[in-house]
Amino acid sequence: FWASLSATHAQRGAWDDALAAADSARALAPRDADLVFLRERRLVEAGRFEEAAERLRPWFAAAGRDPALAEGARDVEATRLRELGR
């Protein structure tokens, strides 16, 4: 429910609501890589690239602890860099 609500808000450009819904989704499934990084994905979609990068940094430092979560962080970072034209 929360992930879908986040997407709906994002489509409407209601970024604060999209981020709040993303946080709620993550709270319900803290080990689900798709939901763990939903807030960071929404930040990228909103063009808030530096904020997304700051939130991803700790995941890169701890990449060895959970390969699925590390992969999720790399995926969001690749999207962020692509959006920046890098």
Side-chain angles (χ1 to χ4, degrees), residues 27-43:
L28 293 174
R31 304 303 299 165
D32 183 321
D34 291 329
L35 299 179
V36 165
F37 299 107
L38 187 56
R39 180 180 185 85
E40 289 78 1
R41 288 185 190 286
R42 295 292 179 247
L43 289 168

Side-chain angles (χ1 to χ4, degrees), residues 41-59:
R41 288 185 190 286
R42 295 292 179 247
L43 289 168
V44 169
E45 292 169 3
R48 294 164 60 176
F49 302 116
E50 289 307 312
E51 188 177 348
E54 289 175 25
R55 292 183 59 87
L56 288 169
R57 269 188 209 103
W59 291 101

Side-chain angles (χ1 to χ4, degrees), residues 54-85:
E54 289 175 25
R55 292 183 59 87
L56 288 169
R57 269 188 209 103
W59 291 101
F60 293 124
R65 291 190 299 195
D66 189 324
L69 292 179
E71 178 62 28
R74 284 191 297 271
D75 182 58
V76 175
E77 178 65 2
T79 301
R80 187 185 79 81
L81 293 174
R82 184 180 67 238
E83 291 296 317
L84 287 169

